[in-house]
Every structure is written in C-alpha cells, then in structure tokens.
Amino acid sequence: MGEIVFQNTLSGRKEAFTPLHAGDVRMYTCGPTVYDFAHIGNFRTFVFQDVLRRFLRARGFRVRQVMNLTDVDDRIIQNAAAAGAGIREYTDRYIQAFLEDMRLLHLEMPETLARATDHIDDMAALVAQLLENGFAYRSDGSIYFRIARFPCYGALSKMDFSGIQAGARVDVDRYEKDDARDFALWKEHKPGEHFWETRIGPGRPGWHLECSTMALKYLGPTLDFHTGGVDLVFPHHENEIAQSEAATGQPFVRYWLHAEHLLVNGEKMSKSAGNFYTLRDLFARGHRPSAIRFLLASVPYRRQLNFTFEGLEQAASSVERLRNFAARLREARLADSGAPDSGAPFAPRIVEAEARFEAGLEDDLNTAQALAAVFDLVREINTAIDRGEFAAADAAAALAFLGRFDAIFAVLGGDDLETLRALGYAESGAPLADDDVAARVRERREARQRRDFEAADRIRRELAERGIILEDLKDGTVRWKRT
Ligand code: AMP
Ligand code: ZN
C-alpha cells in the first residue's frame, strides 16, 4: 500500500502521514454542543471523522480518539434557563439522542467520550497554570488569555492579529475574526447563572478551554490529529492552540483536518439559519440511516456537500445496488456448477479495483475516488454474472474486497431496525428492502440453530406485521413473499 497524505490546515499543504508514536494514533474530535438535536450538517463532520478512524484502523494503527460533549456554554445556559431546567438535566436528553444517532449511523464509539461538566476541576487547574506563567490575567471577575503573549496566534486561521489592541477582551464563546481579542478562559459568576466553586474562584469555563483540557489530559501534550468542521478554525481551534501550547510549551497538534460544510441551497446548514434537518426529520420521511451515511461519506471531506433529497434518493439506490451485489456474490460463491475449473479470471481486476480504492483513501480520504473504484467493479462483475461468465473463485475475492470497503463505509450490514422502531420510525411506510428481509431471515435461521425458538418466532411475527410471509421448505430453506 502507498503513502498516506492529508491536507493539513496548519501548513496549508498535503503532508505525508506518520504518527508521533509508531503504530499509535492520538486523535481529538470536537464533539457536539448538546443544546438540541444534532443536524445532518454536524453529522457530515462526524461521519468524516468516523471514516478517518476506520481507515486508520484498517491500516493497522491503534486509534485513541477523544470526543468531548459540550454540555456547558452560552447557548446551553440560555436554553436551559428558558426551559426551567438545570443544565445537566437539560443536556442529558440531547446526549442520549446523540448516542442513538451515532449508533444508527454506524459511527464507532471514540475510546473516550467526555462531558465538559465532568472536567471542571481539570479546567480550573489549566487556568491556574496559565495565570501562573503569565499567559492569563484576571479582569472584572473573569479570566482572559493574553494573546499578545502568544506570537503564533493566527497561524492556523492564517490571520495577522499582531496589531490588535492589547487588553481588549471578548466575553462570548463564538465571534468573528474582526472581533479577535483576549478571550475568556473562565467567566465570572453572574447571579442566577449556574457556576462552580473552584481553586480559581467561582464561575464557569469558556467553551474553548474544555477541548485543550481534555486533549492534554487524555492524549498528552502532542496529538496526531485534531478534527472538526471549518467553522471551528477560528476562534475555537486557534484558541485551543494558544491555551495548550502556552501551558505545555510543546506543539499541540501535528495534523489539523477540517471538514467543509454541508450546504442547503448554497448556504451552510445551521441551527441559527433555521435551514436544517435532523436525522429524525429524515427518518420521519422514510429515509434510512445507511443512505444518509452513504451520502455524507460520498463527497470528500474537503469539498462542500450540497444536500438535496434527490441526492439522498441516489445514495439509497447506491446502497441498494451494493447490497444486491453482495447477495449475488454470495449466491455465485455457493453455486458450484460442476464445470471444469475455470480459474479466477477477475482476480487481476479485483486487485486493481482495490488498489484504486486504497489509493483514493490514501489521498486525503478521497472517498469519491474510492467509491468510483468500487462501482466500476460492480458494473463489470454484474455484467459477467448476467452472462454466466463469473466464477465462484472470483466471488470469494470480490466479497473480501466488499468487506474491506464496508469496514470503512459501513453501509452494507442492514439498518438498525430495533433502534429505529424504538424511536418510532421503522413503520414509516417504507417497505422493507429485499436485503433487510434476507438479513432477518438469516437471523431467524441462526436463532433456530441455537434452539432459540422464541427469538425465531418473534422475527416471523415482525416480518408478518410488515407484510412478509415466510414459508419453511422441507429441505430446511426458507422462501418468503410479500403479501
Ligand atoms: P456544534 O454542535 O455546533 O459544536 O458542531 C459540531 C460539529 O459540527 C463541529 O465540528 C462543527 O464544525 C460541525 N458543523 C456544524 N455545522 C456544519 C455544517 N453545516 N456542515 C458540516 N459540519 C458542520
Ligand atoms: Zn473543541
């Protein structure tokens, strides 16, 4: 396999990837602000991060990924107060929803998932250190980072902030480049607002502080990767670099990877613009997680992705096509025609397709190229099967390649109907796809084999409810039809 390169936001160039510690990847991912359901724009970035970690794992790296859950910030405080709830109670249900959404989208669980409010003392300790070494100062009950002390400020966002007035401050968590000033590490306690009593006094953390704190705590001073959407480059990641490097004196992140936005009608999908869909909005319209995941993964992360329902339908049929293809290969593998050994004429083509697939991913995760390699092969093999020119020996190799594809794209193995049903979306009127039925039939057979007749009967009943009738044939196989 070839060299892996990534476009690094910090250098502005593609760079060959080598981890700091051989075989070991340390990766930090800015997680969701849990003040509402995440929208599919957010999931575009989370799916990219999942593809990244799956790709690295497929290449044999041990990945240690930390993702934070922002459960305290300006917006959460406002929303929780408006709902008359404590911030912990308010954010609990959105964390729950986020975990369900992750499972449905087949996002692998990061090794560490950490809530900001579980790390208040760690954050206070980091601020205390910055106060001690002169990078932070107190003013009006809050504590600010002194950006004049940090000459590299602006290196990531490629901005020259050297002319800004020393001592000018900004108190909100999110602001534009024009408003770059000394930012709040720690915010003074305001009456009626949630606060924590800590070694640096009462108050609450600024948003940027949590990511530096958790990254340093769980991954050490220098990470291999830090990822997020492009909107986080400034001020969030610029501020993370300042806080972390001021504390450790070491480079914070080696490869900064930022996903371009998901757009609707040319505009960034966002809560504030009101132009967003949550996953649940799409499930309610009968769309499946696998189609959504495929769509989000199909456009390379450094390219903007314009969301349309037409694109989502196409993604669903691409997934269907791949699943049907897998089913045909499984059949072909079993079909032993008894003909003299015809060899494996497709073997070189499969090797070539796989090389193109890997080369695509190696090139800054070019998922479009990787998918093109897969679909070209699907077309060729389907034609060969139609003509009866496909050998069982090739089927095994093609299936193995599909397995390696799915270790990264994760769309072949049916949708999680249990969770969808629990959320009330499985019976949305969309008929079960043939592959979903086949998967359930397989599960039923396995249940019977381990003599779990209760589970087997439940599957039969569930399928019957969805208009699928099973017929057990004498030879032990099952025939099914739609009513
Ligand atoms: P937030 O919950 O706002 O902190 O965002 C969670 C993640 O989603 C961050 O990495 C953001 O950069 C990312 N994000 C927000 N909006 C979009 C969008 N429209 N397209 C892609 N990523 C986004
Ligand atoms: Zn962050």
Side-chain angles (χ1 to χ4, degrees):
M1 297 208 200
E3 180 179 72
I4 301 172
V5 301
F6 290 109
Q7 174 75 25
N8 188 346
T9 310
L10 186 60
S11 65
R13 290 187 283 106
K14 277 189 182 170
E15 294 175 26
F17 172 67
T18 46
L20 185 59
H21 303 273
D24 195 28
V25 169
R26 294 162 202 222
M27 167 163 155
Y28 188 88
T29 297
C30 291
T33 309
V34 283
Y35 72 120
D36 204 340
F37 294 103
H39 57 65
I40 57 166
N42 302 132
F43 281 111
R44 196 252 156 144
T45 295
F46 294 125
V47 167
F48 139 63
Q49 289 155 168
D50 186 62
V51 167
L52 172 63
R53 64 168 279 141
R54 283 170 177 271
F55 171 62
L56 293 168
R57 273 160 34 78
R59 286 303 180 89
F61 293 104
R62 191 171 82 102
V63 173
R64 271 199 285 155
Q65 183 187 10
V66 175
M67 185 196 276
N68 66 308
L69 297 166
T70 301
D71 62 351
V72 52
D73 84 338
D74 297 344
R75 295 180 298 188
I76 289 172
I77 289 182
Q78 274 167 27
N79 285 20
I87 60 170
R88 194 84 187 181
E89 174 197 355
Y90 181 80
T91 53
D92 271 346
R93 63 181 281 233
Y94 294 113
I95 291 178
Q96 192 55 38
F98 182 70
L99 295 178
E100 280 158 3
D101 288 352
M102 279 187 79
R103 197 158 58 238
L104 285 164
L105 282 183
H106 295 168
L107 297 177
E108 288 185 343
M109 195 47 86
E111 284 62 30
T112 304
L113 195 64
R115 281 177 90 146
T117 57
D118 288 333
H119 295 76
I120 300 291
D121 288 338
D122 297 313
M123 292 192 233
L126 183 61
V127 175
Q129 195 187 342
L130 295 174
L131 280 169
E132 240 161 69
N133 68 15
F135 282 93
Y137 63 92
R138 292 181 185 269
S139 176
D140 300 332
S142 293
I143 302 175
Y144 297 87
F145 187 91
R146 196 190 306 278
I147 60 180
R149 269 290 307 272
F150 191 75
C152 297
Y153 194 78
L156 185 70
S157 52
K158 315 274 176 278
M159 293 283 291
D160 178 7
F161 294 113
S162 58
I164 65 173
Q165 189 196 339
R169 297 180 300 277
V170 50
D171 284 294
V172 291
D173 287 331
R174 291 163 206 256
Y175 50 91
E176 299 301 319
K177 286 178 187 162
D178 295 345
D179 291 321
R181 297 193 176 78
D182 289 353
F183 59 91
L185 295 163
W186 187 256
K187 302 189 184 195
E188 68 164 330
H189 168 219
K190 295 207 189 83
E193 221 177 65
H194 196 95
F195 73 102
W196 286 265
E197 198 58 74
T198 68
R199 61 194 281 182
I200 51 170
R204 66 175 174 97
W207 167 43
H208 316 293
L209 184 63
E210 67 184 85
C211 291
S212 289
T213 305
M214 294 190 207
L216 300 179
K217 173 171 175 142
Y218 294 109
L219 298 171
T222 302
L223 326 177
D224 293 300
F225 289 103
H226 196 315
T227 60
V230 282
D231 55 308
L232 298 189
V233 173
F234 186 87
H236 187 53
H237 290 161
E238 201 73 72
N239 292 354
E240 277 189 46
I241 295 175
Q243 296 164 151
S244 309
E245 297 191 357
T248 67
Q250 293 179 58
F252 179 42
V253 171
R254 302 174 61 239
Y255 302 87
W256 282 96
L257 271 46
H258 290 102
E260 276 294 340
H261 282 143
L262 181 135
L263 312 178
V264 227
N265 300 324
E267 261 184 65
K268 177 192 172 195
M269 180 174 281
S270 73
K271 288 276 151 56
S272 48
N275 60 352
F276 64 93
Y277 295 103
T278 65
L279 283 187
R280 285 145 211 244
D281 294 334
L282 300 184
F283 300 154
R285 292 168 174 240
H287 299 286
R288 284 295 162 88
S290 51
I292 300 168
R293 179 176 168 106
F294 184 93
L295 175 68
L296 298 180
S298 64
V299 175
Y301 76 98
R302 291 263 179 193
R303 265 190 243 156
Q304 292 182 330
L305 192 171
N306 199 31
F307 175 80
T308 61
F309 280 98
E310 200 191 343
L312 185 52
E313 302 287 355
Q314 276 167 12
S317 52
S318 297
V319 171
E320 187 71 15
R321 185 134 193 265
L322 290 169
R323 289 181 181 173
N324 287 338
F325 178 63
R328 287 190 98 183
L329 290 177
R330 280 195 294 268
E331 264 168 42
R333 188 178 51 185
L334 293 177
D336 184 355
S337 62
D341 184 10
S342 51
F346 263 92
R349 267 298 292 130
I350 295 170
V351 169
E352 194 187 312
E354 186 151 7
R356 236 178 101 206
F357 175 80
E358 295 294 341
L361 295 176
E362 282 161 5
D363 183 11
D364 196 28
L365 293 184
N366 187 338
T367 48
Q369 181 186 327
L371 288 174
V374 173
F375 280 97
D376 285 350
L377 187 72
V378 170
R379 192 173 333 105
E380 286 168 43
I381 293 186
N382 271 335
T383 309
I385 296 178
D386 291 343
R387 293 192 186 136
E389 291 168 359
F390 194 68
D394 278 329
L399 275 169
F401 174 33
L402 269 193
R404 287 189 283 276
F405 152 82
D406 208 47
I408 288 155
F409 284 84
V411 292
L412 293 182
D415 286 300
D416 178 356
L417 297 180
E418 291 296 324
T419 306
L420 277 178
R421 194 172 298 123
L423 295 173
Y425 294 113
E427 270 71 45
S428 58
L432 269 184
D434 284 7
D435 251 45
D436 290 336
V437 178
R440 297 298 278 161
V441 168
R442 252 195 325 274
E443 277 170 43
R444 176 169 169 270
R445 190 178 57 230
E446 285 157 13
R448 287 164 65 111
Q449 276 163 359
R450 51 171 203 273
R451 308 194 70 74
D452 184 355
F453 296 111
E454 208 177 274
D457 283 343
R458 193 180 62 236
I459 293 173
R460 174 193 278 281
R461 270 200 314 278
E462 283 170 4
L463 286 173
E465 271 164 25
R466 306 201 55 190
I468 308 289
I469 301 301
L470 305 185
E471 192 188 342
D472 289 303
L473 302 179
K474 282 216 185 67
D475 62 0
T477 61
V478 176
R479 190 157 60 199
W480 61 267
K481 59 173 191 266
R482 296 177 192 275
T483 55

